[in-house]
Amino acid sequence: DSGVTQTPKHLITATGQRVTLRCSPRSGDLSVYWYQQSLDQGLQFLIQYYNGEERAKGNILERFSAQQFPDLHSELNLSSLELGDSALYFCASSAQGAANTEAFFGQGTRLTVV
Amino acid sequence: AQSVTQLGSHVSVSEGALVLLRCNYSSSVPPYLFWYVQYPNQGLQLLLKYTSAATLVKGINGFEAEFKKSETSFHLTKPSAHMSDAAEYFCAVSGTGANNLFFGTGTRLTVIP
């Protein structure tokens, strides 16, 4: 158990809909990362938050947004969903968000868009 | 910009044989390098990391990797494969200017009894 909790584990929704994925980082970790894992794109970095502030942005679509709340949990919002958004979405957390520190991954949320 | 290339999307070894998973990196800044393992239906778990200290890095479960700057490589090895090593392995890089990880495409390791 990494200590990172993601909910829900599975999500099935229709095209055009909006969903919210939730992540609770390890206790004391200030930095949260979101990654998308799909068969065609592999593991791609989406966005990072550190202590409530956006720190880095990767290949995140404009239809996607995220935030980190004062209690440090984070949510990833995916809207106007398309079939191609079906993927495994991982949240990871690290203590300070430094490049040389270990990131602990949750078990992921599997999103299926039908 | 940072990136990693993993050679071989599938590797099969016999139980007890040497495991060698290849990773080459590209980085414009001194890299930090990581190997993660993903078991079916689970998240990623860190095996080991290189952060500019010793070039030979030992990790969990008997794995180790050697950072070779001249070859821009960070290959993962284990002297003797166990059935429990069957999983997908990801090499990743981050740099001093970026906190996030850039992952390779992964190598699926199969261990044959």
Side-chain angles (χ1 to χ4, degrees):
Chain A
D1 182 4
S2 67
V4 178
T5 303
Q6 290 188 246
T7 56
K9 286 188 168 43
H10 301 275
L11 199 47
I12 301 175
T13 190
T15 54
Q17 295 297 306
R18 172 190 168 95
V19 297
T20 297
L21 313 184
R22 182 188 168 97
C23 170
S24 294
R26 288 191 323 152
S27 178
D29 282 359
L30 299 177
S31 194
V32 169
Y33 310 79
W34 286 97
Y35 289 86
Q36 179 195 59
Q37 185 179 33
S38 61
L39 285 175
D40 53 344
Q41 301 274 4
L43 260 167
Q44 297 237 344
F45 167 68
L46 295 178
I47 198 163
Q48 179 200 2
Y49 279 82
Y50 178 79
N51 203 20
E53 304 267 335
E54 181 185 304
R55 175 168 276 193
K57 210 174 225 186
N59 297 324
I60 187 166
L61 299 171
E62 285 192 11
R63 300 184 285 109
F64 296 180
S65 65
Q67 58 185 137
Q68 186 178 26
F69 294 86
D71 67 353
L72 301 178
H73 91 271
S74 177
E75 292 181 356
L76 179 66
N77 300 296
L78 315 176
S79 62
S80 302
L81 285 167
E82 302 175 359
L83 295 178
D85 298 326
S86 296
L88 195 50
Y89 291 85
F90 284 110
C91 170
S93 74
S94 67
Q96 295 293 328
N100 61 348
T101 57
E102 177 179 358
F104 293 83
F105 283 75
Q107 294 203 345
T109 293
R110 184 169 295 281
L111 173 66
T112 303
V113 182
V114 297
Chain B
Q2 289 93 26
S3 67
V4 291
T5 301
Q6 290 185 244
L7 299 175
S9 57
H10 290 88
V11 170
S12 292
V13 300
S14 297
E15 192 175 13
L18 171 72
V19 176
L20 171 60
L21 305 183
R22 300 177 186 273
C23 173
N24 288 89
Y25 71 89
S26 173
S27 179
S28 55
V29 296
Y32 299 125
L33 293 157
F34 304 79
W35 276 99
Y36 279 85
V37 61
Q38 184 179 25
Y39 297 101
N41 301 314
Q42 294 196 25
L44 284 81
Q45 180 184 8
L46 181 70
L47 281 176
L48 49 80
K49 64 179 180 181
Y50 166 76
T51 58
S52 74
T55 57
L56 182 62
V57 181
K58 294 189 184 298
I60 62 171
N61 301 338
F63 284 94
E64 64 181 37
E66 186 171 8
F67 173 72
K68 292 187 177 180
K69 186 177 179 180
S70 61
E71 299 177 9
T72 61
S73 69
F74 190 57
H75 301 329
L76 182 71
T77 60
K78 182 174 180 178
S80 176
H82 295 159
M83 296 299 295
S84 60
D85 295 327
E88 185 135 23
Y89 292 79
F90 292 91
C91 181
V93 64
S94 68
T96 52
N99 310 105
N100 55 283
L101 297 167
F102 295 90
F103 284 92
T105 49
T107 297
R108 184 169 300 278
L109 176 66
T110 300
V111 182
I112 303 165

